[in-house]
Amino acid sequence: MGLIHRLPDDLANQIAAGEVVERPASVAKELLENAVDARATRIRVDVEGGGVGLIRVSDDGMGMSPEDAPLAVERHATSKIGTLADLGRIQSYGFRGEALPSIASVSRFALRTRRREDDGGTEVGIEGGGARDVKPCGVAPGTTIEVRDLFFNVPARRKFLRSLATESAHVTEVAEAAALASPELTLILSREGRVVREWLRVASRHERVKSAFGDELLSRCFGERGPLRVEAFLSRPERARAAASSLTLLVNGRTIRDRSLLRAVAQAYGSVLEPGRYPLGVVYLEIDPSLVDVNVHPQKAEVRFADGRAVSEALFRILADELARAFGMPVATRTWNRSDKTDSKDFPSVQLAPPTFESTSSGLPWSFSAAESKDAEPAAIGVEPRPYPLFAPSSSNEGPLVSHLRFVAQVKQTYLLCEAADGLYVLDQHAAAERVTFDRLRKAYAGRDIAAQALLFPVSVEVTAGDAAFVEDEQRTMAELGLDVRAVGPTTVAVHAMPRLLARARPESVVRDLIAEATRAGGRAFSNAVDLVLATMACHGSIRAGDRVSAEEASALLAALAQVDFSGHCPHGRPIVTRIGWDELERKVGRR
């Protein structure tokens, strides 16, 4: 017998399910997209047991005929595309024909459907990818799909799921994204038999975004450049957060992840937004489907543009103008370099012109000009730095002997000017204070002795559903950090106590940034991110640039800095001190 054989259909479906069905939220996303493609105007999502016990999606869409219903659960069976040419201009959410058979292979699956013109409906049942059980049934027009006991036959996959609260939160985020994409849709989310969110159909995206973000003030930005049309609703810069979890990107109605576009949105704020922080809001991008490839990821979470750099630049320029007008800020500008890639870290001095929207011999409707155009904007803004390269405390003193420094003056309410026998030293007051606070927090945490201070009144903080679930899961660990934070609603947490070392910090900012740092790398536990969390806390609890510092306070800071394991950097990697030797200073002023 030969060594090569065809895989059984049930095994092939389970392999495909590994890419398509990552968690209950993946199931909800696929079923919601199918319902929207079926022209539904009302969809209800029922979730039990975090989506592992049950996910039911019911819609009032077109429904399926008795002939089509059994085909819908076969691999690569779809009504969305028919030819290779269709793949180049996809306008539906689904098209791969993999979702339903993949889901059915790892669950107890039931599909009930009926067209309006039919007298009765059709039910298709599948258990763990086994044989189909097809029979007539009574059902309202539209389609209802029930997915029970997800991963019951793949226990290895089930053990990688998070808590029920976390999985429920991910389903909520998927439902909210679907509601943002389709304002004309009424979407109801029920959890454990109780309606927890309801998005009623509205006339515009603006109204939908308002209903999703509640009292958050978002400014509408609109513009067109080349084939790209942008409509965005973004927060003021002071409401920005340390992660992009509250910033949603949609391309032709499809929610996507794209670091380059997220960075373009953040950079459009210019210098008023700290690098590494992102605003709250929603950005809708519309572009000719032939210029974007959505068939690059099994979960359709990523897309590839015919000219991604031009899309990023167009988005930046539209938003930079609109945000400057909305918030009274200077118009941000941007540098394009030869090595400007999504993960670029070092930028050489050679610069290229920004992308333009001129036709080229390549046939693309937008591309880059070889030389800078006459009206090219000047370059000013830099790129987002690498995410927090923590410098661990060193046992040896790298850098100056801080105890030998004598404070002279504060400059620009940001720098401490000091002198020593070998030269002049300039300390970044925030970086120095942050290093001291971080060292104290780290030692206190190691001894499980971070002192907490109860707040006179609890502070309510609006967060995402995922963040609220994170707080619920990690409440005990957060208490070890001196933080008493409790989930009090699907998207609300309450801060009851703060570490005493963070007396100057705002509770809502600390909690939001702390959660963002703890989950930055995609993990859901503090155990893998304690240093990042402590660094974030230290940042909020320290003297900041712009704070006036007295001579006594400056001397006390130098004395405290001399007591820590000094590595010359703050915990986020910024240098604390710069030295100018006396000989160098004398050369500069012409004394030698």
Side-chain angles (χ1 to χ4, degrees):
M1 295 178 63
L3 297 178
I4 298 176
H5 59 279
R6 188 183 299 276
L7 291 175
D9 287 345
D10 57 344
L11 179 56
N13 285 335
Q14 285 202 3
I15 293 172
E19 296 180 322
V20 178
V21 187
E22 180 184 9
R23 62 195 329 156
S26 308
V27 174
K29 178 178 181 291
E30 296 291 347
L31 300 185
L32 277 167
E33 290 181 349
N34 280 348
V36 175
D37 282 343
R39 302 176 195 166
T41 61
R42 181 182 177 87
I43 302 174
R44 181 182 173 107
V45 181
D46 293 282
V47 180
E48 294 178 8
V52 178
L54 169 69
I55 293 180
R56 181 193 299 116
V57 177
S58 307
D59 68 64
D60 63 352
M62 297 184 298
M64 289 178 273
S65 68
E67 295 76 29
D68 284 343
L71 280 173
V73 293
E74 290 191 7
R75 287 191 75 206
H76 307 311
T78 180
S79 62
K80 315 296 172 59
I81 60 174
T83 67
L84 188 61
D86 295 336
L87 199 58
R89 297 188 62 87
I90 294 172
Q91 300 187 49
S92 60
Y93 286 112
F95 58 89
R96 299 171 68 101
E98 291 180 327
L100 292 187
S102 296
I103 294 168
S105 71
V106 291
S107 67
R108 294 185 170 93
F109 177 94
L111 178 153
R112 300 178 186 88
T113 186
R114 175 191 156 200
R115 296 182 302 179
R116 284 177 176 78
E117 61 268 30
D118 293 337
D119 294 330
T122 304
E123 178 176 342
V124 180
I126 302 176
E127 183 164 327
R132 296 173 301 171
D133 179 17
V134 183
K135 58 187 178 184
C137 70
V139 66
T143 300
T144 295
I145 295 180
E146 286 186 0
V147 178
R148 294 183 180 273
D149 299 330
L150 187 64
F151 300 135
F152 79 95
N153 56 342
V154 194
R157 295 287 305 280
R158 198 161 186 167
K159 72 179 182 180
F160 284 103
L161 297 178
R162 303 296 179 180
S163 69
L164 299 187
T166 297
E167 297 301 339
S168 287
H170 283 298
V171 174
T172 302
E173 290 169 355
V174 165
E176 182 169 78
L180 288 170
S182 305
E184 72 285 354
L185 182 69
T186 291
L187 181 56
I188 300 167
L189 175 64
S190 168
R191 195 156 52 218
E192 312 302 335
R194 182 174 62 90
V195 173
V196 292
R197 298 292 296 273
E198 189 172 23
W199 296 272
L200 301 178
R201 66 173 63 92
V202 290
S204 67
R205 289 171 174 169
H206 190 195
E207 291 180 66
R208 177 67 95 205
V209 171
K210 282 177 60 179
S211 68
F213 282 81
D215 296 332
E216 193 70 50
L217 295 177
L218 304 178
S219 179
R220 180 178 182 268
C221 305
F222 177 82
E224 296 185 35
R225 191 173 180 86
L228 184 70
R229 184 176 183 270
V230 175
E231 186 176 15
F233 304 89
L234 298 171
S235 68
R236 298 187 64 84
E238 58 266 26
R239 298 290 294 154
R241 299 183 184 175
S245 56
S246 294
L247 178 59
T248 302
L249 297 178
L250 297 102
V251 173
N252 292 347
R254 187 186 303 276
T255 306
I256 66 160
R257 298 190 298 262
D258 190 299
R259 291 177 58 194
S260 177
L261 295 184
L262 288 171
R263 191 167 57 205
V265 175
Q267 289 182 336
Y269 281 79
S271 59
V272 302
L273 190 64
E274 295 178 43
R277 298 184 72 83
Y278 298 87
L280 286 70
V282 187
V283 179
Y284 297 91
L285 295 92
E286 294 178 15
I287 188 172
D288 188 322
S290 65
L291 301 179
V292 56
D293 183 4
V294 300
N295 189 29
V296 296
H297 191 282
Q299 297 178 12
K300 304 181 287 293
E302 299 171 11
V303 298
R304 184 178 294 121
F305 297 99
D307 197 334
R309 189 171 159 191
V311 174
S312 177
E313 175 66 6
L315 175 62
F316 168 80
R317 291 193 177 189
I318 290 170
L319 293 183
D321 290 341
E322 290 287 296
L323 290 170
R325 189 177 303 113
F327 301 137
M329 309 181 305
V331 178
T333 54
R334 200 183 197 192
T335 300
W336 282 100
N337 297 274
R338 192 175 302 278
S339 62
D340 191 10
K341 299 177 182 178
T342 299
D343 57 351
S344 178
K345 300 178 182 67
D346 301 309
F347 284 74
S349 57
V350 179
Q351 296 183 355
L352 292 178
T356 61
F357 301 105
E358 300 171 359
S359 298
T360 67
S361 57
S362 68
L364 295 177
W366 48 358
S367 188
F368 304 102
S369 60
E372 187 163 336
S373 61
K374 294 180 181 178
D375 60 347
E377 296 178 83
I381 194 168
V383 219
E384 175 185 333
R386 298 171 64 182
Y388 290 178
L390 272 177
F391 283 70
S394 171
S395 57
S396 63
N397 276 359
E398 305 168 12
L401 295 175
V402 183
S403 59
H404 293 175
L405 298 182
R406 185 179 70 83
F407 173 71
V408 177
Q410 184 188 31
V411 182
K412 290 190 70 177
Q413 293 184 217
T414 300
Y415 306 104
L416 305 182
L417 197 61
C418 306
E419 66 174 343
D422 60 341
L424 201 61
Y425 289 83
V426 182
L427 277 75
D428 181 323
Q429 66 187 38
H430 176 62
E434 192 177 348
R435 187 69 189 177
V436 170
T437 306
F438 175 73
D439 187 74
R440 291 172 177 171
L441 284 170
R442 213 165 189 249
K443 288 175 179 175
Y445 179 76
R448 296 299 187 268
D449 190 30
I450 296 183
Q453 176 67 54
L455 302 181
L456 188 59
F457 299 104
V459 176
S460 293
V461 184
E462 289 298 317
V463 295
T464 66
D467 290 347
F470 178 84
V471 168
E472 188 173 336
D473 292 342
E474 301 290 347
Q475 184 175 340
R476 181 186 235 162
T477 312
M478 294 174 79
E480 294 177 354
L481 295 167
L483 278 161
D484 183 359
V485 187
R486 309 169 194 174
V488 294
T491 57
T492 306
V493 299
V495 186
H496 290 260
M498 291 276 289
R500 286 182 184 171
L501 282 171
L502 307 190
R504 63 170 60 234
R506 296 174 64 238
E508 54 268 46
S509 298
V510 172
V511 168
R512 284 179 177 138
D513 284 357
L514 180 149
I515 294 171
E517 287 304 340
T519 59
R520 180 187 285 271
R524 303 299 298 183
F526 273 98
S527 57
N528 300 323
V530 168
D531 274 356
L532 286 174
V533 169
L534 293 176
T536 300
M537 292 168 65
C539 181
H540 282 282
S542 303
I543 297 168
R544 306 191 73 84
D547 290 347
R548 193 177 296 278
V549 176
S550 67
E552 292 77 15
E553 290 172 321
S555 298
L557 177 58
L558 290 174
L561 192 60
Q563 300 302 312
V564 307
D565 291 326
F566 183 66
S567 69
H569 295 80
C570 81
H572 290 147
R574 289 195 314 278
I576 293 174
V577 63
T578 299
R579 173 183 171 273
I580 303 174
W582 294 124
D583 54 347
E584 180 185 354
L585 181 60
E586 289 174 349
R587 279 196 304 271
K588 287 183 180 295
V589 299
R591 293 189 66 85
R592 65 163 57 186

